[in-house]
Amino acid sequence: MKRVLKYIAIFVIVGGFLNSCETTELDLRVSPNDLASNQADPNLLLTSIQLAYGTNQQTLSDRSAELVRIDYMFGRNYFNNYPGSTLDGVWSRTYSSGGNGVGDFTGVGMLTNIQALEAIDAESDIDYSFHLGVAKTLFAHQLMQLVDFIGEAAFSQAGNATEFPAPLLDGGQDVYNSALALLTEAEGYLTGNPGTQGAVDIYYNGDVSKWRKLINTIRLKAHYTTGNMAAFNQVIAGGNFISSAADDFEIKYGTSELQPDDRHPDYASDYTPSGANIYQSNWMMETMLNNNDPRIRYYFYRQVDATPGADADPNEETLACSLVVPPQHFQDGGFTYCSVPNGYWGRTHGNDEGTPPDNFTRTAVGVYPAGGRFDDSSFGTVGLGVGGGGAGIEPIFLSSYVDFWRGAMAASDADRANFLRSGLEKSIAKVQGFAALDGGADLSFEPSAADVTAYIDGIVADFNAATGDDKENIFAEQYFTTLFGGATEAWVYYRKTGYPTTLVPNWEPDPGPFPRTLLYPQNEVITNPNLTQKQSLTQQVFWDTNPASPAFPVAN
């Protein structure tokens, strides 16, 4: 995703929407130099919508991954870790970025720009069906995600500042229904083969057939999340959804270090002259190591071959917790408190220690999905331009994810096992395709086809032989591992099912209730008198029917 497009879009669109700052009560005329919303460039409007959506996906994926231990979470108290500002950016980019709330039209949010596109399309001789179909598809998915993260969203009163200056939020089920209706609208706009009219499609390069598959995949996501088996199976019967890597929905990054910096954000953070700056999750690395998962060399790059406190001497300077006796709740559950062996140097959920001089020893992001280094046991260091140069992806909807949804919805264990197998096959094949990005790696360390087959056969055999929690944990661990790098749906799965129960607990014995939703965006609370901030993170989404905290989940 090219950041230069973001700057161009923001400059042009904001310039088109903002009224003169010098307007007074004595001068109420409209300047002929000001552009009305229906005079903006529709191609730049669509670009802005795509960029806003993509940035939101990065934020939502990161927060979800932290909560379920796919990524590392800093801080021991959940309520303090996720304040009202957590989703301020997501909210404003969805509705009216830079404005004063969902009723304010002075920004460049998705809804603002969709309404501008509608006005242009209504008055123009040019057919902008492609623009509206793409924009409404992305907006529909974004609305569902707001419900998944905060329980509600603005829709029926949003984007109408004159009539609803302080919009009320709609209930989660109502928003889902409205989002599904938007998908139907989008599908209508994308019927046939509408021309792009010069628009830049940063996701599917103008391929309308792939956008139609995405629409059905978002429907699958909605029906899976809400447990609507009949509707889920109806979409499956239609067959037109993301089922192969060729149709995967993802953000693609480049290798430019200077403006615009279009590298994967995790690569930009970890591959610096001063070393890596992200801590990887001990739970994720240990789970993959214990399973002998063939994807581990692609996900993570080790800068050292041993970890203090595991298979190297404890080191108070670089890994202080390697000298600490684990607290009782870690001992009771047999969880790893600090150190994973073999140089998988990360941090455990909730670790709030300061940052020691370990930038050239901690494990960095690998070649998938961040475009970093493939781990060929060279134990080198990270740096600018090393590995794939950041030419990775941000996964959003992959065909492997869909197979796991189908497995979760399957009527029999035999069908679940088949979808577990196909999901792993697709995931590993996609991951292995990234090795070539690292031209300096020794690819003889890649797992062979026989290794991959043996791994998948072993996982499926274990799943078939297991019962109860053991069976559910195998399925969930493999799903979470597959979601690495694009984990927005992981928190949804955990709240729906309570699995896997193998998640390592928080460092803090009493971290507060596990979040079932996040707080309302604080900027909207401040500017909207009809909205009162929540006092806890325990409100459950309408589809979340698991017992209330603290009984759920098992591991806080």
Side-chain angles (χ1 to χ4, degrees):
M1 186 170 61
K2 310 293 186 182
R3 292 189 185 179
V4 66
L5 295 176
K6 180 177 182 180
Y7 302 141
I8 293 172
I10 292 174
F11 177 79
V12 174
I13 298 164
V14 172
F17 286 140
L18 290 179
N19 292 322
S20 171
C21 295
E22 298 179 358
T23 299
T24 69
E25 291 182 357
L26 299 177
D27 182 9
L28 302 179
R29 295 169 297 176
V30 176
S31 169
N33 296 320
D34 287 340
L35 288 174
S37 61
N38 61 356
Q39 293 175 302
D41 186 331
N43 290 338
L44 289 177
L45 289 170
L46 182 58
T47 296
S48 181
I49 291 167
Q50 292 178 86
L51 290 169
Y53 171 84
T55 303
N56 283 355
Q57 296 313 302
Q58 296 166 1
T59 300
L60 297 177
S61 174
D62 288 348
R63 301 296 81 78
S64 174
E66 291 167 359
L67 285 164
V68 299
R69 286 68 160 172
I70 293 174
D71 287 348
Y72 155 69
M73 183 192 78
F74 177 88
R76 300 188 182 201
N77 182 277
Y78 287 114
F79 190 82
N80 292 338
N81 281 1
Y82 299 100
S85 60
T86 301
L87 297 181
D88 275 347
V90 171
W91 186 267
S92 63
R93 283 185 292 269
T94 300
Y95 295 107
S96 56
S97 171
N100 296 319
V102 297
D104 191 329
F105 255 99
T106 60
V108 288
M110 296 175 69
L111 177 58
T112 304
N113 290 337
I114 288 171
Q115 292 177 321
L117 278 173
E118 288 177 320
I120 292 170
D121 184 63
E123 297 182 11
S124 174
D125 293 332
I126 301 173
D127 182 6
Y128 290 111
S129 293
F130 177 81
H131 298 62
L132 288 168
V134 168
K136 294 200 173 196
T137 299
L138 300 181
F139 186 57
H141 181 223
Q142 197 71 86
L143 288 172
M144 292 178 186
Q145 290 181 310
L146 284 176
V147 172
D148 294 345
F149 275 73
I150 65 173
E152 302 155 289
F155 182 73
S156 60
Q157 296 184 5
N160 186 352
T162 301
E163 188 174 355
F164 301 110
L168 298 173
L169 301 187
D170 296 298
Q173 180 70 75
D174 291 336
V175 175
Y176 257 65
N177 292 340
S178 298
L180 288 169
L182 277 175
L183 290 177
T184 300
E185 284 187 46
E187 191 172 43
Y189 281 116
L190 296 174
T191 298
N193 190 28
T196 64
Q197 312 299 346
V200 175
D201 177 359
I202 64 177
Y203 296 103
Y204 281 141
N205 197 29
D207 190 330
V208 176
S209 67
K210 292 187 177 183
W211 281 103
R212 289 195 289 263
K213 288 183 179 181
L214 175 63
I215 288 172
N216 279 325
T217 304
I218 297 173
R219 286 175 174 143
L220 281 177
K221 181 269 175 197
H223 300 323
Y224 158 70
T225 301
T226 58
N228 190 336
M229 178 75 77
F232 185 90
N233 289 337
Q234 185 176 7
V235 177
I236 291 295
N240 193 36
F241 55 88
I242 295 173
S243 58
S244 71
D247 300 321
D248 284 348
F249 186 57
E250 60 201 19
I251 302 169
K252 296 180 175 64
Y253 296 97
T255 60
S256 175
E257 298 172 9
L258 303 176
Q259 293 298 333
D261 184 345
D262 63 358
R263 300 171 298 169
H264 192 289
D266 289 350
Y267 181 93
S269 294
D270 258 6
Y271 287 73
T272 75
S274 57
N277 291 295
I278 301 172
Y279 281 110
Q280 300 303 315
S281 163
N282 275 346
W283 178 82
M284 186 80 264
M285 293 190 294
E286 184 175 41
T287 297
M288 296 183 74
L289 184 63
N290 289 343
N291 288 337
N292 196 27
D293 196 304
R295 293 167 287 190
I296 195 168
R297 288 183 179 269
Y298 303 85
Y299 286 9
F300 307 110
Y301 181 78
R302 295 170 295 165
Q303 299 187 89
V304 294
D305 63 354
T307 315
D311 48 1
D313 291 337
N315 189 317
E316 182 177 7
E317 181 182 12
T318 58
L319 197 58
C321 63
S322 63
L323 291 167
V324 175
V325 175
Q328 195 61 46
H329 65 298
F330 271 77
Q331 294 183 45
D332 291 344
F335 296 108
T336 294
Y337 179 66
C338 181
S339 306
V340 178
N342 292 11
Y344 289 102
W345 186 317
R347 280 197 169 185
T348 297
H349 189 73
N351 184 334
D352 60 351
E353 293 177 312
T355 303
D358 63 353
N359 301 82
F360 288 107
T361 51
R362 70 177 73 165
T363 296
V365 291
V367 72
Y368 178 90
R373 297 190 70 172
F374 170 75
D375 189 346
D376 58 0
S377 295
S378 56
F379 306 111
T381 57
V382 296
L384 288 174
V386 174
I393 64 168
E394 180 86 19
I396 303 174
F397 287 119
L398 304 185
S399 58
S400 55
Y401 298 0
V402 175
D403 281 353
F404 275 94
W405 302 345
R406 297 182 71 180
M409 295 288 277
S412 69
D413 284 344
D415 286 341
R416 290 187 73 192
N418 288 335
F419 285 119
L420 172 61
R421 177 182 294 279
S422 61
L424 288 174
E425 289 172 345
K426 291 174 183 178
S427 172
I428 295 172
K430 186 177 185 72
V431 168
Q432 287 191 303
F434 278 69
L437 289 177
D438 185 357
D442 180 356
L443 297 186
S444 67
F445 282 83
E446 279 201 278
S448 67
D451 293 334
V452 171
T453 299
Y455 174 77
I456 295 174
D457 286 347
I459 291 294
V460 173
D462 290 345
F463 176 81
N464 287 331
T467 58
D469 284 353
D470 291 338
K471 181 182 287 287
E472 297 302 329
N473 284 335
I474 291 170
F475 188 90
E477 285 180 359
Q478 293 304 314
Y479 181 38
F480 280 22
T481 303
T482 297
L483 287 170
F484 181 80
T488 305
E489 293 301 313
W491 187 33
V492 171
Y493 186 88
Y494 189 55
R495 286 175 288 172
K496 278 173 59 69
T497 69
Y499 293 103
T501 62
T502 58
L503 295 184
V504 65
N506 197 311
W507 260 36
E508 173 61 43
D510 184 16
F514 180 81
R516 309 302 283 267
T517 51
L518 300 185
L519 298 180
Y520 297 132
Q522 190 62 24
N523 285 346
E524 183 65 19
V525 173
I526 291 171
T527 58
N528 187 340
N530 286 330
L531 193 59
T532 301
Q533 185 59 276
K534 305 174 189 176
Q535 298 304 304
S536 74
L537 304 177
T538 58
Q539 176 186 319
Q540 295 174 220
V541 188
F542 76 95
W543 47 253
D544 179 0
T545 58
N546 266 307
S549 298
F552 173 87
V554 175
N556 230 17

